[in-house]
Amino acid sequence: MDSGTELLPYDYIDFIGLVALMLGPLQMSLDQAIDAIHLLSVMVFNGVKTEGIDTPFDQQVLMNTIETILEEAQIDPTQNLTDLGRYSRCRGVVFAAPTVDLSRTLPLRSYGQRKQCTVVEAALATICSPSLFAPCTIGRRKQGFCGSGNGLSSCFREVLKEIETVFDGEQRIACILHLGSGISESIATPLPSSASHADIYLRGLATSCALYTTEISTQMYGVGAYIHLDVEHGVENATLSGWIDCYPDAVEASTQAYLQKPDVKRLLKVAAEFAHDRSSTITIGRLNKAAIKVTVMKPVPPVSPYFVLRKRAWKFMTDKLFDQDPGEQVIFVMSGLGGCGKSQMMAYFIQEYSSRYSHTFFIDASSVWTIRNNLEAAIRSLGPEHSQDTFEEALIYLQLHPGWLIVYDNLDDKTLPIIDFFPRCTHGTILLTTRNRDHGLLTSQRHWDLGPMTDEEGLETLFRAAHLDVPVSTEGNHDAMLLVQELGALALALVQAGNYCYRKSYAGGAGNSGYTFRDYLEELKMAPNNLLDNSATTTLDRYEHSVNASLNLSYKALDETAKQFLHLCGYLDRSNIAVEMLKIGAELNFYDSEVVVDAAEQRPSEFNEALERLRRMFTRSRKAIILHIHDIILSLQSYSLVVPTMTQRSIILRFHPLVHSWSRNLPKEPEAEIYFSMAAQSVVSCTDEQNIQLNPLLVPHVQTLLSAGHRLHFRDRAAFATILFHAGHFSQSEGMCLDLRKETSSKYGNKHHDVVAFIHRLSIIYQRQGR
């Protein structure tokens, strides 16, 4: 190595990336590469602003300079990068970000069969950073690319992945030489207000690369094949505007000083020996494993200061968890509506009883990816001996060591194979929280469906969130109870309501003066979405979803039929939706009942869309109608969006008040009008005399639809008057019949048969009333 002959890097390096592409596939010497970088600095980064362009530097000047460099090296700039790679044993790859998604990086290779781009396009793609140049275009489709800076400039992990695709994972690596771009002075170093965008970009890039390389160096610690070199001083205050002045002196001098340090000399000698002797130290597969990004273990969410213990649920939970037979793995499932407090119950359990367990892992179970990531981070947190363990090795570790506790939180995806992540053993405790009550089938006796709070628990939660120790008056206590009931005693909604009242109060607590619970009730009635879209101010428990956002997570998982059914039910009475009513309406194809008058008041054309949608929802299935309805109910029930109960007459569906109002308010016009018409028609179609036994079940829906504020068609009002009559609500039916008779008489005259029908109905009402 001291022969005096010129060393050419491509003779010793098998795989190379970034600017060093010049040293590999382009087969430049070190001096040629240095001269090329210097030419780029002089011609491109010279501070001369080109007129007519919006970016700090001119891409055309950059391209012309690159072409000049290539031509001086006797390389055709239009040559394909993969063709160039055929003439060099050194493979090269550079990375660029597509302009449609700057968070991704795509490799541009000098190897492989696919012709991706020309040599000059590859060079442009890696240099055209978005803050400095306009994006460049590549290929026949002219896809836009720009440099992948902003923390991804080294692309170290991407390079390792490329190596494993090119070489066998069992092949050994002699040396990985990781060259940095200089260590930045400090993350917090302020920039003057007059600093150019380019200088800001340079400083940000240097800082992010410093953090990135520190992380990589930490993870690669102990890997003998890895050598990292980075000039420590002299470039920390470099700016592009002053690059020309400092290049030949400050940068080169700083680099020479760095290379003279004894430790650096030693590393350089080791690197040279590795490259020359090809002594194998580690396999490619093991190197990639060492470079896996360490994910911070999901922490147990702190118990909220507004947490109120759910006494019945807590007793059931602790009784079942501590009643464990020897040789038994305990599985406990807590299901419930989003925001009801499931995760907080688990956090409180860990706070109280973590000392009973050897290890406690809190896993985000929202996807397979998060489970794997969290398990991997959990096992690696146990010590250096586990620093390279995978999630499979985490499960094996738990199989061999008893006494652990795992919490799988937010297991809402019913297609996720959660059993695959249960350690296969006869010990340990697994807790699951889920919106999907079907996961309760994972255990026979240890499942609790966490419903609304009791009135007492709801009041205490509301007072804590509003920073009130006790209600200040009987009136305040009464308003608080009304608010608890209006919010369905949902823990998340109560915390958000209490926080909101506290913030809006200008003196003392929410019940003393300023914004009161009654004010919140009034605002909730006027504009519910304005309040329910806002999350609570506290993020101590790391639950940042608003009530509506939490419900939207469940909504996204539903199929289209279940979503439509949910919106339809939003216009019916939330506590008395009889499945029998829907079944009869579907069997009758949702036609108007024969007892509904057939005046010239025909349905508007928009009604046809509502009718067709109803029919599609309930009758476009090969299953029997009742089985199809049950499938829809099960879909909603699996996300705790509905509670079905059995009565002597029918299955009754009940919705939480917030779910009910949210499902009604979600569609906007004209969709909202269609769902209102669908709800009305599902009631109207059950009005004939053979279904008169249903009338008591229909009355709550009639009252709800009449108070909804939507315009009801003549036929709907006539049907509702009939329902109220048969149910014995004579006074209300009388008022509607009088209005309908008057409306018909004014249009068609007193002799019209509908006028006669309403007069007959009124006479019967008066007779029943003894008038």
Side-chain angles (χ1 to χ4, degrees):
M1 284 184 290
D2 295 321
S3 61
T5 59
E6 183 180 25
L7 295 177
L8 297 175
Y10 66 86
D11 285 333
Y12 296 89
I13 301 174
D14 294 296
F15 201 94
I16 201 163
L18 300 172
V19 177
L21 196 64
M22 292 184 291
L23 302 175
L26 297 183
Q27 300 187 8
M28 290 186 179
S29 67
L30 290 172
D31 288 337
Q32 285 177 313
I34 291 172
D35 290 341
I37 296 296
H38 188 211
L39 183 62
L40 279 173
S41 302
V42 172
M43 300 301 297
V44 181
F45 302 110
N46 53 19
V48 178
K49 176 72 174 177
T50 304
E51 294 184 7
I53 65 168
D54 298 327
T55 53
F57 300 101
D58 191 341
Q59 186 201 98
Q60 186 62 48
V61 173
L62 174 64
M63 184 172 69
N64 294 341
T65 306
I66 292 174
E67 289 177 349
T68 299
I69 292 171
L70 293 173
E71 288 167 357
E72 288 181 356
Q74 298 182 344
I75 297 169
D76 181 2
T78 63
Q79 188 175 9
N80 194 276
L81 185 62
T82 53
D83 292 337
L84 182 70
R86 296 193 183 116
Y87 305 110
S88 174
R89 64 181 298 277
C90 178
R91 296 166 177 85
V93 63
V94 292
F95 292 89
T99 53
V100 294
D101 184 2
L102 294 179
S103 64
R104 295 191 304 127
T105 56
L106 297 179
L108 304 176
R109 306 175 177 96
S110 71
Y111 49 92
Q113 299 300 316
R114 183 183 175 190
K115 295 182 181 292
Q116 291 178 291
C117 61
T118 65
V119 178
V120 72
E121 285 175 339
L124 277 173
T126 96
I127 298 175
C128 286
S129 297
S131 294
L132 307 182
F133 297 94
C136 71
T137 56
I138 289 179
R140 288 176 297 177
R141 293 184 297 169
K142 301 299 182 183
Q143 185 177 1
F145 281 87
C146 58
S148 57
N150 298 318
L152 287 174
S153 59
S154 341
C155 295
F156 183 78
R157 291 193 184 91
E158 286 75 8
V159 169
L160 291 186
K161 292 175 185 175
E162 283 293 307
I163 293 173
E164 194 162 13
T165 63
V166 174
F167 303 98
D168 182 1
E170 294 302 313
Q171 187 167 337
R172 294 187 172 273
I173 289 182
C175 180
I176 293 280
L177 185 58
H178 186 188
L179 302 179
S181 57
I183 299 175
S184 63
E185 184 178 19
S186 171
I187 293 176
T189 300
L191 285 168
S193 58
S194 61
S196 69
H197 292 296
D199 289 348
I200 293 172
Y201 177 78
L202 182 65
R203 179 62 55 83
L205 183 60
T207 298
S208 62
C209 286
L211 293 173
Y212 183 89
T213 52
T214 299
E215 178 187 343
I216 289 291
S217 297
T218 301
Q219 292 168 23
M220 300 294 287
Y221 179 78
V223 177
Y226 176 79
I227 295 175
H228 175 232
L229 301 175
D230 213 350
V231 178
E232 295 170 344
H233 301 289
V235 296
E236 63 269 18
N237 294 314
T239 63
L240 285 173
S241 58
W243 187 252
I244 300 303
D245 295 334
C246 74
Y247 175 79
D249 300 320
V251 174
E252 190 169 3
S254 299
T255 304
Q256 288 294 341
Y258 176 74
L259 294 175
Q260 294 305 312
K261 297 179 66 173
D263 288 346
V264 176
K265 280 187 171 182
R266 180 183 59 80
L267 288 175
L268 284 171
K269 183 179 179 182
V270 170
E273 290 174 350
F274 278 160
H276 184 269
D277 298 339
R278 303 265 160 168
S279 54
S280 301
T281 59
I282 188 172
T283 65
I284 293 172
R286 192 64 185 173
L287 184 70
N288 256 327
K289 190 174 181 181
I292 293 174
K293 186 175 181 180
V294 176
T295 304
V296 177
M297 179 180 173
K298 179 180 174 66
V300 179
V303 177
S304 167
Y306 314 127
F307 174 76
V308 172
L309 185 64
R310 312 286 290 278
K311 294 178 182 177
R312 286 186 61 232
W314 180 253
K315 184 177 187 310
F316 180 87
M317 180 179 178
T318 51
D319 287 350
K320 293 296 183 180
L321 287 176
F322 299 148
D323 181 22
Q324 182 176 7
D325 296 330
E328 179 190 20
Q329 185 180 84
V330 172
I331 301 172
F332 183 90
V333 178
M334 183 170 285
S335 60
L337 190 63
C340 69
K342 305 179 295 292
S343 299
Q344 280 288 288
M345 287 288 286
M346 298 300 164
Y348 185 75
F349 180 82
I350 293 172
Q351 175 182 287
E352 296 298 304
Y353 294 113
S354 61
S355 60
R356 297 174 63 103
Y357 301 97
S358 58
H359 303 294
T360 300
F361 294 164
F362 199 90
I363 307 298
D364 179 358
S366 56
S367 69
V368 169
W369 183 86
T370 58
I371 293 175
R372 290 179 173 181
N373 235 6
N374 286 183
L375 281 172
E376 191 173 273
I379 189 65
R380 292 182 179 188
S381 70
L382 298 184
E385 66 275 19
H386 299 286
S387 62
Q388 306 304 320
D389 285 358
T390 63
F391 81 92
E392 294 98 334
E393 289 166 321
L395 294 175
I396 293 172
Y397 177 88
L398 295 173
Q399 290 171 18
L400 300 175
H401 298 81
W404 45 262
L405 168 69
I406 300 179
V407 178
Y408 286 110
D409 190 41
N410 293 326
L411 178 65
D412 300 328
D413 184 355
K414 56 186 176 183
T415 66
L416 192 151
I418 188 61
I419 295 178
D420 292 350
F421 300 101
F422 288 179
R424 298 179 181 179
C425 55
T426 55
H427 57 256
T429 300
I430 300 173
L431 309 182
L432 298 100
T433 70
T434 177
R435 300 165 195 241
N436 190 341
R437 68 189 302 272
D438 291 351
H439 282 125
L441 299 173
L442 291 168
T443 176
S444 59
Q445 297 179 342
R446 295 186 173 101
H447 173 214
W448 183 268
D449 196 45
L450 192 64
M453 292 178 145
T454 64
D455 288 346
E456 181 183 12
E457 293 165 350
L459 280 174
E460 186 177 351
T461 301
L462 182 62
F463 290 145
R464 286 190 183 186
H467 295 243
L468 284 172
D469 295 329
V470 292
V472 296
S473 65
T474 302
E475 182 182 7
N477 191 48
H478 174 72
D479 291 342
M481 180 57 71
L482 289 177
L483 182 53
V484 169
Q485 293 170 353
E486 186 70 22
L487 296 175
L490 183 68
L492 175 62
L494 293 171
V495 169
Q496 292 178 4
N499 281 179
Y500 188 84
C501 291
Y502 176 72
R503 295 200 314 271
K504 295 275 282 190
S505 296
Y506 53 82
N512 293 323
S513 60
Y515 193 89
T516 66
F517 295 137
R518 179 171 295 181
D519 294 329
Y520 190 93
L521 278 165
E522 291 299 321
E523 191 173 343
L524 187 65
K525 291 176 183 177
M526 295 293 293
N529 285 343
N530 289 347
L531 296 177
L532 299 178
D533 281 341
N534 291 318
S535 60
T537 54
T538 177
T539 58
L540 180 61
D541 58 0
R542 297 188 177 92
Y543 196 94
E544 300 178 356
H545 292 304
S546 66
V547 172
N548 281 354
S550 179
L551 294 173
N552 288 339
L553 293 175
S554 298
Y555 183 81
K556 290 177 182 178
L558 300 175
D559 61 36
E560 196 59 33
T561 300
K563 290 177 180 177
Q564 291 185 359
F565 184 85
L566 192 64
H567 298 319
L568 179 152
C569 292
Y571 286 100
L572 299 172
D573 181 78
R574 71 175 185 84
S575 301
N576 294 282
I577 302 175
V579 171
E580 185 68 13
M581 176 189 76
L582 301 172
K583 172 178 172 289
I584 290 173
E587 289 173 344
L588 296 173
N589 215 17
F590 294 105
Y591 283 117
D592 284 338
S593 167
E594 293 179 2
V595 301
V596 177
V597 293
D598 58 348
E601 288 288 331
Q602 297 300 314
R603 297 282 192 181
S605 58
E606 307 87 70
F607 174 76
N608 295 331
E609 171 62 24
L611 186 61
E612 180 60 25
R613 200 174 290 189
L614 262 178
R615 290 170 177 170
R616 284 201 305 266
M617 186 188 304
F618 291 106
T619 61
R620 294 284 180 89
S621 171
R622 294 182 180 179
K623 290 186 177 181
I625 289 174
I626 190 64
L627 294 178
H628 182 57
I629 294 174
H630 284 167
D631 284 345
I632 298 173
I633 294 169
L634 286 173
S635 179
L636 295 175
Q637 189 184 14
S638 68
Y639 290 97
S640 302
L641 294 173
V642 67
V643 178
T645 56
M646 291 292 297
T647 67
Q648 291 182 341
R649 293 182 178 180
S650 176
I651 298 174
I652 301 296
L653 305 182
R654 293 187 168 89
F655 288 87
H656 188 280
L658 294 183
V659 173
H660 188 249
S661 61
W662 160 78
S663 66
R664 181 177 63 252
N665 294 327
L666 203 57
K668 307 304 178 186
E669 296 295 350
E671 285 289 296
E673 193 64 40
I674 292 174
Y675 285 113
F676 175 81
S677 297
M678 291 168 65
Q681 192 62 20
S682 66
V683 176
V684 169
S685 59
C686 298
T687 314
D688 54 22
E689 293 183 357
Q690 67 181 5
N691 296 314
I692 199 168
Q693 78 282 356
L694 273 180
N695 275 308
L697 296 175
L698 301 180
V699 169
H701 306 307
V702 170
Q703 306 289 18
T704 299
L705 289 162
L706 287 171
S707 63
H710 289 255
R711 183 181 180 276
L712 282 162
H713 189 264
F714 181 92
R715 290 171 174 266
D716 297 332
R717 287 179 286 143
F720 291 173
T722 301
I723 293 170
L724 293 170
F725 170 78
H726 287 304
H729 293 252
F730 298 126
S731 296
Q732 192 173 5
S733 179
E734 176 194 357
M736 294 184 70
C737 286
L738 286 170
D739 291 340
L740 291 165
R741 182 193 64 79
K742 182 178 178 181
E743 188 177 326
T744 307
S745 177
S746 66
K747 287 186 176 182
Y748 309 111
N750 290 327
K751 294 183 179 181
H752 192 276
H753 59 272
D754 284 346
V755 176
V756 175
F758 286 125
I759 292 173
H760 177 67
R761 175 65 54 77
L762 286 167
S763 67
I764 297 175
I765 290 174
Y766 296 149
Q767 184 182 16
R768 298 282 180 89
Q769 291 176 325
R771 294 163 63 182

